[in-house]
C-alpha cells in the first residue's frame, strides 16, 4: 500500500511521514518474500560459529529495535545479551575481549561514525559482526563481516516509521533462523498491519483527546517494552510532548508517584505473558484514577479510559510489537498535526545523526 496525493497537496504537513507509514504492509511483504531467504543464509553461517554472547549496538529508533532483539535472543534462544556502551571504545579506547561474541549493530542509514567505529573496534577485538541496515552500501555494512538489508526503501521523513517495523521483522526472522525455525508466525503481519493503518479516523479522534497534553507516561512489560520506548520517542520528536517510557516494574519503583488524573498514561498490553506481568501495574494505575490509554486486547481496552484494540487473537506474542507500534505512530502523527506542527521536519533534527 502506498499513499498518493493530488496536485496542491505536495506541501501538506506530514505528507511524507503519512506516506511512509502507509508503505509498511508492503515493506513487511517484501521482507517475507525477498529478504527471508537472505536472512536465513546469514543466520546459518553465524549459528555454525556458535557465539556465546550477543552485544547489541544502536542509537535512537534503532536502539529500540535492538532492545526487541534482546528479548527475542534471550527468550527464544536462551542466549545472554547486552546493550553496548559505545563510548567505552570510541571515547575511552577500551579493548574488551570479544572472541566468540556476536555484535549486532542496528542502524537505518549505517552512517553514524560512532556505530561504524565501535563495530570496527569490535571486529578487531575478535567479535563476529552483523550490521542490520537499510543501506547495503553504507560504511557500517562495509566494516561488518555480515549484513542484513531490511529492504524498507528510501525513508525521507525525519521520524523513522517503516524502517523501525522493517528492522523488527528482519531481526525476528534472523533469530528464528538461528534456532532453526521458519518464522511462520510473521506471515499474517502484512494483512493485519494493513487493517490497523486503515483505522485513521479512530486514531484521529483519540489524538483530539491528547492534543493539549503537557506530559505523557508510556509503560509496558516484556516484548511490549521496546514499543513503549519507541512510542515515547515518536511523540517527543514530532509533537515535542515530554513522553516518559517505563517498564511497568520500574514505574512501580518510584515514578508511579507522579501519575495523576491529568497526564495521560499509555499502556502497551501485549497479549501474552508480558500483558499478564503488566496487570498489577494497570490495577495500580486505575486505582490512582489515571487517564489510561491502552493499546492491546479488547478486554484491556474496555477497562481503560480510552484505547485502541489490536487484532492479536492467534498472533504470537513475539511478533505483536510489529503491530503494536502502528497505532502509536499514527497517534504521534495526528497529535502533531492537531498541534499545528509538521511531523515531517521536527526542529533541530537531522536524518543521519553523526554522534562520535
Amino acid at each position: 500500500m502506498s499513499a498518493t496525493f493530488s496536485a496542491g497537496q505536495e506541501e501538506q504537513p506530514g505528507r511524507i511521514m503519512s506516506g511512509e507509514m502507509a508503505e509498511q504492509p508492503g515493506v513487511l511483504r517484501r521482507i517475507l518474500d525477498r529478504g527471508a531467504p537472505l536472512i536465513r543464509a546469514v543466520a546459518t553461517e553465524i549459528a555454525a560459529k556458535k557465539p556465546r554472547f550477543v552485544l547489541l549496538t544502536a542509537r535512537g529508533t534503532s536502539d529500540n529495535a535492538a532492545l526487541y532483539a534482546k528479548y527475542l535472543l534471550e527468550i527464544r534462544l536462551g542466549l545472554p545479551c547486552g546493550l553496548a556502551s559505545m563510548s567505552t571504545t570510541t571515547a575511552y579506547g577500551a579493548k574488551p575481549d570479544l572472541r566468540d561474541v556476536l555484535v549486532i549493530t542496528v542502524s537505518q542509514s549505517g552512517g553514524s561514525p560512532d556505530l561504524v567505529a565501535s563495530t570496527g573496534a569490535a571486529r578487531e577485538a575478535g567479535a563476529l559482526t552483523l550490521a542490520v541496515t537499510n543501506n547495503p552500501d553504507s560504511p557500517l555494512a562495509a566494516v561488518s563481516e555480515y549484513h542484513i538489508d531490511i529492504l524498507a526503501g528510501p525513508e525521507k521523513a525525519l521520524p523513522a516509521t517503516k524502517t523501525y517495523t522493517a528492522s523488527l521483522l528482519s531481526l525476528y526472522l534472523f533469530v528464528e533462523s538461528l534456532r532453526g525455525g521458519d518464522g511462520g508466525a510473521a506471515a499474517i503481519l502484512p494483512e493485519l498491519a494493513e487493517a490497523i493503518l486503515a483505522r485513521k479516523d479512530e486514531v484521529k479522534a483519540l489524538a483530539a483527546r491528547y492534543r493539549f497534553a503537557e506530559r505523557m507516561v508510556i509503560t509496558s512489560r516484556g516484548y511490549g517494552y521496546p514499543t513503549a520506548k519507541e512510542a515515547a520517542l515518536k511523540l517527543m520528536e514530532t509533537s515535542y510532548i515530554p513522553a516518559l517510557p517505563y517498564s511497568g516494574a520500574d514505574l512501580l519503583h518510584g515514578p508511579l508517584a507522579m501519575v495523576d488524573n491529568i497526564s495521560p498514561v499509555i499502556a502497551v498490553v501485549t497479549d501474552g505473558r508480558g500483558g499478564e506481568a503488566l496487570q498489577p501495574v494497570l490495577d495500580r494505575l486505575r486505582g490512582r484514577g489515571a487517564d489510561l490509554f491502552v493499546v492491546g486486547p479488547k478486554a484491556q481496552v474496555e477497562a481503560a479510559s480510552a484505547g485502541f484494540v489490536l487484532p492479536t487473537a492467534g498472533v504470537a506474542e513475539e511478533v505483536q510489537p510489529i503491530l503494536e507500534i502502528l497505532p502509536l505512530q499514527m497517534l504521534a502523527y495526528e497529535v502533531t498535526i492537531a498541534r499545528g506542527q509538521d511531523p515531517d521536519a521536527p526542529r533541530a533534527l537531522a536524518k543521519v545523526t553523526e554522534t562520535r
Side-chain angles (χ1 to χ4, degrees):
M1 179 187 295
S2 61
T4 57
F5 302 91
S6 60
Q9 287 185 298
E10 288 81 0
E11 302 305 320
Q12 177 185 344
R15 174 183 63 85
I16 303 173
M17 181 180 177
S18 177
E20 290 174 350
M21 286 192 294
E23 290 178 33
Q24 290 176 104
V27 172
L28 298 178
R29 287 191 181 97
R30 184 159 61 240
I31 295 168
L32 291 171
D33 293 342
R34 288 174 38 198
L38 303 174
I39 293 170
R40 192 174 303 115
V42 169
T44 299
E45 288 196 33
I46 290 175
K49 298 184 179 182
K50 298 181 179 179
R52 59 182 172 83
F53 190 86
V54 179
L55 274 177
L56 294 145
T57 306
R59 297 284 192 201
T61 284
S62 295
D63 198 36
N64 299 326
L67 179 59
Y68 168 71
K70 184 176 188 292
Y71 276 90
L72 284 173
L73 287 158
E74 291 184 343
I75 295 169
R76 304 290 286 171
L77 287 178
L79 196 58
C81 301
L83 299 175
S85 300
M86 282 173 277
S87 62
T88 60
T89 55
T90 61
Y92 292 93
K95 298 185 181 299
D97 180 358
L98 297 180
R99 288 172 294 177
D100 301 322
V101 175
L102 171 61
V103 172
I104 303 175
T105 307
V106 187
S107 171
Q108 299 151 43
S109 68
S112 185
D114 60 346
L115 293 171
V116 176
S118 63
T119 301
R123 192 169 180 181
E124 290 175 5
L128 291 169
T129 52
L130 167 64
V132 179
T133 82
N134 197 37
N135 183 2
D137 298 320
S138 64
L140 180 60
V143 79
S144 301
E145 186 175 356
Y146 298 99
H147 177 256
I148 288 174
D149 185 352
I150 65 172
L151 300 174
E155 188 174 60
K156 296 180 180 179
L158 285 175
T161 53
K162 64 178 181 174
T163 54
Y164 180 69
T165 50
S167 295
L168 296 193
L169 179 54
S170 298
L171 288 163
Y172 167 74
L173 292 173
F174 171 70
V175 173
E176 285 302 291
S177 295
L178 282 180
R179 65 190 294 269
D182 63 2
I188 197 172
L189 294 178
E191 177 185 344
L192 294 179
E194 209 158 48
I196 290 170
L197 291 167
R199 294 161 62 186
K200 293 179 182 178
D201 291 344
E202 188 178 334
V203 176
K204 192 170 184 177
L206 290 166
R209 179 186 179 102
Y210 302 115
R211 175 182 177 184
F212 298 108
E214 296 183 358
R215 181 187 69 201
M216 289 186 178
V217 172
I218 308 180
T219 189
S220 190
R221 291 203 69 179
Y223 285 115
Y225 181 43
T227 307
K229 289 174 67 68
E230 175 61 12
L233 177 57
K234 284 292 150 292
L235 283 161
M236 288 189 284
E237 69 182 349
T238 57
S239 69
Y240 317 141
I241 296 173
L244 310 175
Y246 292 100
S247 156
D250 288 333
L251 185 63
L252 296 182
H253 284 268
L256 183 68
M258 70 177 172
V259 173
D260 52 31
N261 61 356
I262 299 173
S263 299
V265 178
I266 298 175
V268 180
V269 186
T270 303
D271 192 357
R273 294 187 183 183
E276 292 168 7
L278 189 65
Q279 190 58 53
V281 182
L282 299 175
D283 293 341
R284 292 284 297 276
L285 289 169
R286 283 190 285 265
R288 291 188 59 81
D291 180 358
L292 182 60
F293 174 103
V294 166
V295 174
K298 183 177 181 180
Q300 294 289 352
V301 172
E302 289 176 343
S305 307
F308 188 100
V309 176
L310 284 176
T312 54
V315 179
E317 182 178 1
E318 58 268 21
V319 298
Q320 289 179 34
I322 299 168
L323 303 176
E324 290 167 349
I325 192 58
L326 300 177
L328 294 167
Q329 291 174 347
M330 292 193 288
L331 182 69
Y333 170 87
E334 293 292 354
V335 167
T336 304
I337 293 294
R339 289 163 71 96
Q341 295 150 199
D342 184 358
D344 284 343
R347 63 194 181 202
L349 296 181
K351 190 61 180 173
V352 179
T353 305
E354 295 194 355
T355 47
R356 296 182 183 274

